[in-house]
Amino acid sequence: QEKVQQSPESLIVPEGAMSSLNCTFSNSASQSIWWYQQHPGKGPEALISIFSNGNKKEGRLTVYLNRASLHVSLHIRDSQPSDSAVYLCAVSPSSNTNKVVFGTGTRLQVLP
Amino acid sequence: GGIITQTPKFLIGQEGQKLTLKCQQNFNHDTMYWYRQDSGKGLRLIYYSITENDLQKGDLSEGYDASREKKSSFSLTVTSAQKNEMAVFLCASSIFGNQAPLFGEGTRLSVL
């Protein structure tokens, strides 16, 4: 059974700072890993995905994946107040790629 | 563009009542999901379905039933609502495994 944990539970950063969010998962063979953003009262929206070890950059977002340490991180450069939201890590196990398991979430607040 | 529609948006029930939540998607996606989210936290998988008439239990299926009678719709039944229960139920769909699920905006449940 895939387990996904996120840290920190909440994060407050000033505008313009780097925000760093962490996610650990239980199975190194997990196929796909996504980060989602969720604003209050809305459904989660997928932001960025990663499948292979290493890093991936899209705009202000960078994701790092290390399968050996079962760890993936999301870094938001030049954080903006509009980035304030809950961030969710999601993993699909290689044994069942249709079953998508989400983490516990990190609440990010960016102060103007 | 496609959309995932969840009805109702708000649901107030009585303790012990059977309650049904509905989800429709027009993406022609094969896989559909039901998740529960408590207090802006992470998502827990209740049921998912990889095709019409298929049902797979998630980690939180006890106390719930689901039905996938058509490819485009997936319903969830709370078999006996618990007093003071408050949660958001999120429906999602994806074209197949290894694709990031797309989410509806949720049904907010309160039980008196």
Side-chain angles (χ1 to χ4, degrees):
Chain A
Q1 180 171 321
E2 185 75 65
K3 298 284 188 191
V4 182
Q5 295 287 329
Q6 291 184 240
S7 64
E9 194 171 309
S10 65
L11 178 64
I12 302 174
V13 302
E15 183 174 355
M18 176 78 81
S19 299
S20 296
L21 293 70
N22 298 293
C23 173
T24 58
F25 48 96
S26 57
N27 187 341
S28 63
S30 295
Q31 278 287 342
S32 307
I33 299 169
W34 302 280
W35 282 96
Y36 280 74
Q37 180 189 58
Q38 184 181 25
H39 286 289
K42 301 291 187 182
E45 290 187 15
L47 280 180
I48 189 168
S49 62
I50 190 163
F51 306 100
S52 305
N53 258 346
N55 65 76
K56 179 178 180 180
K57 188 175 178 181
E58 288 184 3
R60 294 187 293 117
L61 306 179
T62 303
V63 182
Y64 294 93
L65 172 60
N66 184 327
R67 288 195 185 276
S69 61
L70 304 177
H71 182 261
V72 60
S73 59
L74 171 68
H75 304 268
I76 306 173
R77 176 178 54 83
D78 188 24
S79 300
Q80 299 297 307
S82 57
D83 295 328
S84 298
V86 173
Y87 289 81
L88 298 158
C89 174
V91 173
S92 72
S94 58
S95 58
N96 183 352
T97 56
N98 284 295
K99 183 178 181 182
V100 180
V101 180
F102 280 76
T104 48
T106 292
R107 183 176 299 276
L108 172 66
Q109 187 176 357
V110 182
L111 301 177
Chain B
I3 191 169
I4 297 174
T5 303
Q6 292 189 237
T7 54
K9 289 191 188 305
F10 299 93
L11 182 56
I12 299 175
Q14 302 287 330
E15 184 182 11
Q17 192 176 2
K18 180 185 283 190
L19 303 167
T20 298
L21 292 69
K22 294 186 182 296
C23 177
Q24 294 265 354
Q25 54 96 359
N26 62 0
F27 291 104
N28 199 34
H29 284 168
D30 293 304
T31 306
M32 295 187 75
Y33 305 84
W34 276 107
Y35 291 91
R36 174 181 167 129
Q37 185 174 37
D38 292 277
S39 304
K41 301 287 189 182
L43 278 59
R44 290 185 287 172
L45 182 62
I46 306 172
Y47 271 98
Y48 65 104
S49 166
I50 62 174
T51 190
E52 188 177 322
N53 292 319
D54 174 74
L55 283 179
Q56 310 279 341
K57 290 184 178 181
D59 300 326
L60 196 68
S61 60
E62 190 166 335
Y64 302 94
D65 287 328
S67 174
R68 181 98 182 269
E69 293 171 353
K70 293 191 302 184
K71 186 176 182 180
S72 62
S73 67
F74 194 27
S75 62
L76 179 73
T77 298
V78 180
T79 56
S80 179
Q82 301 298 304
K83 188 174 175 64
N84 297 323
E85 182 175 7
M86 283 184 65
V88 177
F89 291 86
L90 290 159
C91 176
S93 70
S94 67
I95 189 164
F96 52 77
N98 280 338
Q99 297 296 307
L102 301 175
F103 280 83
E105 297 210 329
T107 291
R108 283 147 185 81
L109 171 67
S110 296
V111 181
L112 305 177

